[in-house]
Amino acid sequence: MDKRSKIALYGIGGIILLLMIAEVAKPKALNWRNSYSAADKIPLGCYVLFNDLKTFTSNPLENSDKSLYETLNNNPDIQNTSLILINDYISVEDEGSDALLKFVENGNTVFISTGSMYGKLADTLNIKIDQNYDGLFKLATKSVFVNKNLKNNERIFDDVIENTFFISIDTTKASVLGYMSDENHSKKEINFIKTPFGENGGTFYIHTNPFAFTNYHLLNDKEDYAASVLSYLPENNSILWDNYYKSGRKVIKSPLRFILTNSALKWSFYISLISLIIFVIFKGKRTQRIIPVVEPLKNSTVEFTQTIGDLYYQHGDYTNIIEKKITYFLEFIRASYYLETNEFSERFIQKLAVKSSNTVQETKSLIDLITFLKSKNNHTENELTALNRQIEHFTKNNL
């Protein structure tokens, strides 16, 4: 890489690094998501309220991350407890509504602050909530109490609001505890009621401005109003904070979460995982690495000899070929039959015939031909053919 390319590369790397630093260092945009979660410190979370509730009562403060049906049905004998539900809308399934109504029938208290509520619970309590569509729900309004002793804690909500109020309540049971009015006090709407339920002193407190309990308003001079609303709850009750029916509820939508939240599936997953690990460990020890097949070296001596012979034959050098065939044949005799080939005597011929399984006549004919050919200086093709034929016939018993 030349010097110019290195400079260009370093320059690009420096620009990328600066962009990364700028991205990390830039201020994060404020999150205005409607959350109402006890864990969220964003403006519309309920972190401040949840932690302040710890000083509201000396009894335990519990946090529920399950549905009302799961929470209340698993604790049917719960007593002296105030359940707090705060969200921009409350939609409880029928089973949860039944569990909640039974919870209040047993003498417990439920506080709900929401801008919209529907379903079986709203039908049972005979309430309907609507919104003020003038000014897109954002007109400044003052939240006041019926109890004049709480007048000093009334507040004007001029931002971060949605003006919702009751348009229908059960007038035979419900008591009005608070209103919302415009700045001129020319019109007021009910926004806080109390509804007794059952024969054991159970009570619903329903409020229509959940924004009043968010971090934003509690840290902007509205904490006295929120405290006055919650002061209607029984002081000696334990508090059960709902963290399930929240717009900002954190849900990890993954198959693994579903498995780990189910006891049977969780243990099946763990057992399968452990079994797989054990299998891999023992399988890895017992199985050898695949041994590659190594092809043996191919013996090309015959092909090489054939090639050389063809070269000699094409050039008509019969003498050279005959000499080499005789030399090779005599070496074959010495190596195979352990006979000396310096002298072709009658004794030699008889021994060679016996050891080679040939007749004495056949053996003598081959030796005489070899003797004759060795005595000549030039040879013909017919002589080469005759020699080759007799050698092949002689060695056929050794193949």
Side-chain angles (χ1 to χ4, degrees):
M1 185 180 294
D2 58 16
K3 184 176 180 181
R4 183 176 298 178
S5 299
K6 288 183 178 180
I7 294 174
L9 185 61
Y10 292 148
I12 294 173
I15 293 173
I16 294 174
L17 181 62
L18 291 175
L19 290 175
M20 293 174 62
I21 294 174
E23 184 67 22
V24 173
K26 74 176 184 179
K28 294 183 179 179
L30 197 58
N31 186 354
W32 285 95
R33 177 173 57 96
N34 294 1
S35 169
Y36 305 100
S37 172
D40 278 341
K41 298 181 181 181
I42 60 177
L44 299 184
C46 285
Y47 176 83
V48 174
L49 175 63
F50 181 77
N51 285 273
D52 284 346
L53 285 174
K54 296 176 182 178
T55 63
F56 183 76
T57 178
S58 58
N59 292 322
L61 172 61
E62 296 183 12
N63 187 11
S64 173
D65 292 315
K66 298 180 179 180
S67 67
L68 288 176
Y69 177 79
E70 293 178 280
T71 301
L72 301 179
N73 202 52
N74 292 335
N75 299 280
D77 300 325
I78 190 170
Q79 296 288 335
N80 301 322
T81 300
S82 296
L83 172 64
I84 298 179
L85 295 99
I86 301 175
N87 197 37
D88 48 5
Y89 67 93
I90 298 294
S91 176
V92 182
E93 65 282 357
D94 290 349
E95 295 83 357
S97 297
D98 292 336
L100 185 61
L101 294 172
K102 185 176 180 180
F103 171 77
V104 180
E105 281 182 349
N106 291 336
N108 296 295
T109 302
V110 172
F111 174 79
I112 300 174
S113 184
T114 181
S116 176
M117 185 167 67
Y118 44 88
K120 185 174 183 178
L121 180 61
D123 295 339
T124 302
L125 298 179
N126 194 22
I127 60 173
K128 291 183 181 180
I129 299 175
D130 201 358
Q131 294 177 319
N132 181 0
Y133 290 91
D134 295 336
L136 296 176
F137 330 135
K138 305 296 184 182
L139 290 176
T141 58
K142 184 175 184 180
S143 292
V144 301
F145 294 100
V146 173
N147 187 345
K148 300 303 180 183
N149 294 326
L150 299 176
K151 185 174 181 58
N152 291 333
N153 295 335
E154 296 171 353
R155 291 293 185 271
I156 296 176
F157 290 86
D158 53 2
D159 63 349
V160 193
I161 55 173
E162 288 185 4
N163 294 322
T164 55
F165 50 86
F166 293 100
I167 59 172
S168 175
I169 62 174
D170 188 350
T171 56
T172 62
K173 295 181 180 180
S175 302
V176 177
L177 302 179
Y179 296 91
M180 53 172 275
S181 64
D182 57 22
E183 293 180 307
N184 300 322
H185 300 282
S186 59
K187 182 179 181 181
K188 63 181 181 179
E189 304 287 356
I190 301 171
N191 73 342
F192 186 25
I193 64 172
K194 171 185 177 181
T195 301
F197 191 85
E199 304 297 330
N200 298 309
T203 307
F204 282 97
Y205 290 95
I206 305 176
H207 182 265
T208 64
N209 183 13
F211 291 93
F213 302 95
T214 59
N215 301 327
Y216 178 83
H217 286 301
L218 291 181
L219 297 176
N220 284 280
D221 194 35
K222 306 296 191 303
E223 67 277 8
D224 289 340
Y225 174 79
S228 298
V229 172
L230 294 175
S231 66
Y232 283 91
L233 301 180
E235 185 176 353
N236 295 323
N237 277 10
S238 300
I239 296 178
L240 178 60
W241 173 274
D242 166 69
N243 212 37
Y244 181 84
Y245 297 94
K246 302 293 184 186
S247 299
R249 178 164 63 99
K250 293 179 175 61
V251 178
I252 303 174
K253 297 180 179 179
S254 68
L256 184 59
R257 180 182 183 274
F258 175 77
I259 292 173
L260 296 180
T261 53
N262 185 293
S263 180
L265 291 177
K266 179 177 69 175
W267 281 109
S268 298
F269 174 75
Y270 287 152
I271 292 173
S272 300
L273 188 61
I274 293 172
S275 301
L276 180 61
I277 293 173
I278 294 174
F279 171 79
V280 171
I281 292 174
F282 284 93
K283 185 69 173 176
K285 288 184 177 180
R286 293 176 63 87
T287 304
Q288 293 184 351
R289 179 176 58 86
I290 297 175
I291 299 175
V293 177
V294 179
E295 294 290 342
L297 295 177
K298 187 176 181 180
N299 187 352
S300 58
T301 304
V302 176
E303 289 80 359
F304 176 74
T305 304
Q306 182 68 37
T307 302
I308 297 300
D310 290 342
L311 288 174
Y312 279 114
Y313 188 78
Q314 289 174 6
H315 286 81
D317 193 358
Y318 306 119
T319 300
N320 201 340
I321 298 175
I322 288 174
E323 290 177 355
K324 286 180 168 53
K325 286 189 73 67
I326 293 172
T327 302
Y328 176 78
F329 176 71
L330 295 178
E331 176 61 28
F332 169 75
I333 292 175
R334 289 191 293 271
S336 300
Y337 306 132
Y338 306 104
L339 296 174
E340 293 293 335
T341 58
N342 296 328
E343 183 180 356
F344 298 150
S345 63
E346 292 296 331
R347 185 178 179 81
F348 168 78
I349 294 173
Q350 291 178 357
K351 286 184 177 180
L352 178 59
V354 172
K355 289 190 175 184
S356 64
S357 300
N358 288 285
T359 64
V360 175
Q361 184 180 357
E362 291 173 341
T363 305
K364 187 176 185 308
S365 175
L366 176 59
I367 296 301
D368 289 345
L369 179 59
I370 291 174
T371 304
F372 171 72
L373 293 175
K374 289 181 69 176
S375 65
K376 294 182 63 175
N377 294 325
N378 296 307
H379 302 85
T380 65
E381 181 179 353
N382 292 332
E383 291 173 335
L384 174 60
T385 303
L387 175 64
N388 184 70
R389 185 184 302 111
Q390 288 203 37
I391 290 176
E392 287 182 351
H393 177 74
F394 181 84
T395 59
K396 68 180 185 300
N397 295 324
N398 296 280
L399 294 177

